[in-house]
Amino acid sequence: MSSHTMELDDLKLAWQSLDRQLETQNALNLQLLRERKLDQARGSLRPLYWGQLLQIPFGLAFVALASLLWMSAPQHPSSIVAGIVIHVYGVITLICAGVVLGQIGRIDYAAPVVEIQKQLARLRRLYVRTGMFAGLPWWFLWVPLLMTLAGLGDVDLLARVPGLVWGGLAGGAAGLLATAWFHRWSRHPSRPRLARAMDDAITGDSLRRAQAALDEVLRFERE
């Protein structure tokens, strides 16, 4: 009887030891997977990071162009207004790049995965909004850009070719309205695939791949 009890105790101890080994192995596997996937997520954001860095000289070029106009002491009010628009756009572009870069730098990869996902979602919202600020104005921004370039040569483009200026602005306004209508139309509940495709297009590959890597870690943790 005593020998039988000892065998049971030994078996129990062996199972407990095996359980601990399995738990240790699972924890190690999870840690390795987490590190690999977090590296993958960090690497996925690199194109977005470089894209925002490139946006800085792009914005600076607009500020420099407006500065050149100010130094030429423009006399035409329309050229001055166009220069202000170009200057403001350049500053907004710089701010947008700084905001997104700041959020990328604030992502804490040592935090729990759910928290990193929240930080990534915040980055996505900022990226989409700043992208709209930097991209949508191009529906009409080319008009003040041409006016500013003309102003550098002391040419009042509005006086020379008013049809081009007013037609361009009207076309830009129509384009903005059409974009807003299409965005609203694509979000209708009856078009989920289109809405998802639009989201994917707006979000970009970098954020999608980073999110997929985090989703995989979270799935493994919950299994």
Side-chain angles (χ1 to χ4, degrees):
M1 181 65 182
S2 174
S3 171
H4 183 65
T5 302
M6 286 182 65
E7 286 177 2
L8 287 176
D9 288 343
D10 290 343
L11 190 59
K12 186 178 176 181
L13 288 173
W15 272 111
Q16 289 174 344
S17 174
L18 185 59
D19 279 345
R20 282 196 296 274
Q21 288 178 14
L22 284 174
E23 286 175 4
T24 303
Q25 187 63 42
N26 283 337
L28 184 60
N29 288 340
L30 177 59
Q31 183 61 29
L32 290 174
L33 177 73
R34 177 187 162 91
E35 289 176 2
R36 192 170 72 249
K37 290 298 174 184
L38 288 181
D39 281 344
Q40 191 176 327
R42 193 184 287 109
S44 297
L45 292 179
R46 230 165 259 139
L48 176 62
Y49 176 82
W50 285 108
Q52 297 302 307
L53 277 185
L54 287 175
Q55 191 171 309
I56 292 175
F58 181 73
L60 285 174
F62 279 84
V63 173
L65 179 63
S67 301
L68 285 175
L69 181 68
W70 307 142
M71 286 190 288
S72 70
Q75 300 299 314
H76 313 297
S78 61
S79 299
I80 295 173
V81 172
I84 292 172
V85 172
I86 292 301
H87 203 147
V88 170
Y89 177 77
V91 172
I92 288 176
T93 303
L94 291 172
I95 292 173
C96 288
V99 166
V100 175
L101 285 171
Q103 182 58 34
I104 292 175
R106 276 194 293 274
I107 292 179
D108 179 11
Y109 292 95
V113 175
V114 174
E115 180 57 33
I116 302 175
Q117 284 182 316
K118 290 179 183 174
Q119 295 170 6
L120 208 58
R122 199 173 304 128
L123 172 61
R124 180 189 176 281
R125 286 195 297 275
L126 285 172
Y127 174 67
V128 170
R129 288 173 186 169
T130 56
M132 290 172 66
F133 280 124
L136 287 178
W138 277 101
W139 275 110
F140 62 85
L141 194 68
W142 62 274
V143 178
L145 180 59
L146 286 180
M147 293 172 70
T148 302
L149 291 171
L152 286 173
D154 197 27
V155 174
D156 184 356
L157 198 66
L158 179 61
R160 288 279 185 91
V161 278
L164 174 68
V165 174
W166 292 117
L169 292 177
L176 274 178
L177 288 174
T179 302
W181 173 84
F182 180 74
H183 179 75
R184 187 182 177 83
W185 180 79
S186 68
R187 299 286 165 169
H188 194 276
S190 64
R191 304 179 189 90
R193 292 179 63 183
L194 179 59
R196 195 162 48 249
M198 289 289 294
D199 275 344
D200 288 347
I202 293 172
T203 301
D205 284 341
S206 291
L207 285 165
R208 277 207 311 279
R209 281 190 276 115
Q211 185 61 55
L214 293 177
D215 289 345
E216 196 171 339
V217 178
L218 197 60
R219 244 188 342 264
F220 194 85
E221 285 182 346
R222 288 174 175 171
E223 286 176 353

